Amino acid sequence: QKEVEQNSGPLSVPEGAIASLNCTYSDRGSQSFFWYRQYSGKSPELIMSIYSNGDKEDGRFTAQLNKASQYVSLLIRDSQPSDSATYLCALSNYGGATNKLIFGTGTLLAVQP
Amino acid sequence: EAQVTQNPRYLITVTGKKLTVTCSQNMNHEYMSWYRQDPGLGLRQIYYSMNVEVTDKGDVPEGYKVSRKEKRNFPLILESPSPNQTSLYFCASRLQGTNEKLFFGSGTQLSVL
């Protein structure tokens, strides 16, 4: 089982709709969770971080964390064509020896005008 | 401007010819790391450094070397590149805290023929 699993997509949504991106993880010791956005040929950019169970909202983005079920999700409201990108889920467990972020393979989001 | 600078942006080389990809950050970050990104495999950590003269292996260190003689620089060295090292490489840095944002360089697309 992969440490971080994401559906590769593409996830296609119409402009103005809500895009829902999901991520599951295997290590129950994971402490911090992140969503990065990566445009084609560009470097990843942090858009959300979440550390405790529940929802965290920032503008059109909402991150949701459920540690009991080991999943984290990202909702994008009022999706825009400029949101079309690959979204990477990442987590960390800095209590471990490797002190690293573990990334999922990403979900490709396509917002149709 | 706060940034992580990688060079070169594109590199084509031949098997066995030693090469170095440079990485420099101007944010006084303690932590620096190298990742490679391959289709279907996501971002995988090669090496990381917690501070000057402190480096450690990530998930895929074979065939790579790093050094951290100065806080701002973290070069990636391929002593004898092979075609399976053809990939997109990212350098990243952050402050030492567990929830600190990871800043990425713009990437180096390496092709080994």
Side-chain angles (χ1 to χ4, degrees), chain A residues 2-3 31-34 36 38 41-46 49 51 86 88 92 94-95 97-106, chain B residues 9 31 35 37 40-45 48 50 56-59 88 90 94 96-107:
Chain A
K2 289 184 181 178
E3 292 178 278
Q31 300 163 346
S32 305
F33 304 84
F34 307 88
Y36 283 79
Q38 186 176 24
K42 303 295 185 183
S43 57
E45 173 193 16
L46 180 67
S49 57
Y51 312 115
T86 296
L88 305 173
S92 67
Y94 290 105
T98 56
N99 191 33
K100 66 180 181 183
L101 274 182
I102 302 169
F103 286 87
T105 54
Chain B
R9 182 71 178 92
Y31 182 95
Y35 293 86
Q37 188 173 34
L41 296 176
L43 279 162
R44 293 179 293 168
Q45 190 179 54
Y48 67 95
M50 302 279 282
D56 211 342
K57 297 177 181 178
D59 294 317
L88 178 59
F90 289 103
R94 62 168 172 80
Q96 198 63 283
T98 57
N99 296 329
E100 295 295 333
K101 174 182 175 180
L102 194 61
F103 290 81
F104 284 87
S106 55

Side-chain angles (χ1 to χ4, degrees), chain A residues 6 8 17 28-29 61-63 68 75 78 87 94 98 110:
Chain A
Q6 295 181 258
S8 61
R28 286 192 172 274
F61 299 98
T62 298
L75 301 178
D78 188 23
Y87 289 80
Y94 290 105
T98 56

Side-chain angles (χ1 to χ4, degrees), chain B residues 33-80:
Chain B
S33 181
W34 277 101
Y35 293 86
R36 61 177 289 174
Q37 188 173 34
D38 303 287
L41 296 176
L43 279 162
R44 293 179 293 168
Q45 190 179 54
I46 303 171
Y47 269 94
Y48 67 95
S49 170
M50 302 279 282
N51 215 322
V52 176
E53 302 291 1
V54 180
T55 63
D56 211 342
K57 297 177 181 178
D59 294 317
V60 288
E62 294 77 20
Y64 304 95
K65 285 176 58 176
V66 293
S67 68
R68 187 91 182 272
K69 294 183 170 58
E70 303 167 286
K71 196 171 187 179
R72 63 182 294 126
N73 295 324
F74 191 45
L76 180 69
I77 303 158
L78 284 72
E79 295 264 356
S80 182

Side-chain angles (χ1 to χ4, degrees), chain A residues 23-111:
Chain A
C23 171
T24 59
Y25 60 94
S26 59
D27 183 1
R28 286 192 172 274
S30 301
Q31 300 163 346
S32 305
F33 304 84
F34 307 88
W35 283 99
Y36 283 79
R37 177 178 61 199
Q38 186 176 24
Y39 293 111
S40 180
K42 303 295 185 183
S43 57
E45 173 193 16
L46 180 67
I47 54 171
M48 289 288 288
S49 57
I50 186 165
Y51 312 115
S52 55
N53 281 327
D55 294 0
K56 179 181 178 182
E57 186 174 319
D58 184 0
R60 295 187 296 112
F61 299 98
T62 298
Q64 301 174 317
L65 174 61
N66 184 324
K67 289 188 177 181
S69 301
Q70 295 175 248
Y71 82 80
V72 57
S73 62
L74 179 69
L75 301 178
I76 305 175
R77 289 181 298 282
D78 188 23
S79 295
Q80 301 297 308
S82 58
D83 294 325
S84 298
T86 296
Y87 289 80
L88 305 173
C89 174
L91 56 86
S92 67
N93 178 1
Y94 290 105
T98 56
N99 191 33
K100 66 180 181 183
L101 274 182
I102 302 169
F103 286 87
T105 54
T107 297
L108 178 62
L109 173 65
V111 180

